[in-house]
Amino acid sequence: MDCRLGCGACCIAPSITSPIPGMPKGKPAGERCIQLNNDNLCKLFGDPSRPKVCAEFTATIDVCSTTNEQALWLITELESSTS
């Protein structure tokens, strides 16, 4: 499965503990990443400064479902069940 352009759920719902340019302590769950632009696209996509966890994320139907709204809900649920 390919990521849906403009979804951004993986850049909002989960916590990211590794440093992100502009967010040296990472980001808490539910907070929009500072590197997510207004079109919900990563400004660091393909950039070596992008956190490894972000670069290694793979969209799957069980995590991203079929809509952006479902992806945000599912990733939020996964985050809350593993915290």
Side-chain angles (χ1 to χ4, degrees), residues 11 20-23 32-37 41-44:
C11 303
I20 301 166
M23 301 178 100
R32 187 178 178 82
C33 179
I34 196 167
Q35 297 299 332
L36 194 61
N37 72 17
L41 301 174
C42 179
K43 296 182 217 175
L44 297 176

Side-chain angles (χ1 to χ4, degrees), residues 4-66:
R4 286 183 300 278
L5 287 180
C7 176
C10 59
C11 303
I12 299 168
S15 59
I16 298 175
T17 57
S18 55
I20 301 166
M23 301 178 100
K25 295 182 181 181
K27 67 165 230 53
E31 182 176 317
R32 187 178 178 82
C33 179
I34 196 167
Q35 297 299 332
L36 194 61
N37 72 17
N38 290 336
D39 294 320
N40 283 344
L41 301 174
C42 179
K43 296 182 217 175
L44 297 176
F45 193 83
D47 187 303
S49 66
R50 185 177 181 210
K52 184 177 179 181
V53 68
C54 300
E56 291 181 350
F57 178 80
T58 302
T60 61
I61 195 70
D62 58 323
V63 173
C64 303
S65 194
T66 57

Side-chain angles (χ1 to χ4, degrees), residues 66-80:
T66 57
T67 69
N68 299 353
E69 293 77 18
Q70 289 173 334
L72 188 58
W73 184 85
L74 283 169
I75 297 172
T76 298
E77 286 297 307
L78 287 168
E79 175 71 27
S80 67

